Amino acid sequence: MRALAADAVFTGSIPDAYEALLVPLIFEPYGSDLAGRVAALGPSAVLEVAAGTGAATRALARLLPRQARLVAHRSQPADARPRRGGRDRG
C-alpha cells in the first residue's frame, strides 16, 4: 500500500494539533473523572504535580469551591504554553 503524499509530511504546529485532537479524546475524560473524585472530598487546597496538558487542572478549577486553593505544576516548563479554559479563579 502506498502512502499518500499528504500522509508523508506533517505541517503545522504539533502542540496545537495535540491540544486540538488528543486532549479532548484522551486526557479530558480522565481529567474530568479525577477532578470529580477530588472535588467530592471537599479539599481546601489541591496541588497538582506534572499538570501536563492542563485537562485535569481546568476540570478542577471548574469543580472546586471558589475558596479552595489550586496550584498546578508543569514538569516541562520549557514547552509550557498558557492554557485557557475553566473558570477564572481570580
Side-chain angles (χ1 to χ4, degrees), residues 22-80:
L22 294 179
V23 170
L25 180 67
I26 298 172
F27 299 106
E28 280 180 2
Y30 289 107
S32 293
D33 178 68
L34 179 62
R37 292 169 188 250
V38 170
L41 297 173
S44 60
V46 175
L47 171 62
E48 182 184 359
V49 179
T53 66
T57 309
R58 289 188 296 272
L60 283 164
R62 284 190 304 273
L63 296 175
L64 290 174
R66 185 156 298 280
Q67 67 272 15
R69 182 166 185 216
L70 172 59
V71 176
H73 177 267
R74 184 171 174 141
S75 61
Q76 302 265 338
D79 69 357

Side-chain angles (χ1 to χ4, degrees), residues 16 19 52-54 58 74 77 79-85:
D16 288 344
E19 184 75 23
T53 66
R58 289 188 296 272
R74 184 171 174 141
D79 69 357
R81 298 181 306 148
R83 301 291 181 200
R84 300 198 186 272

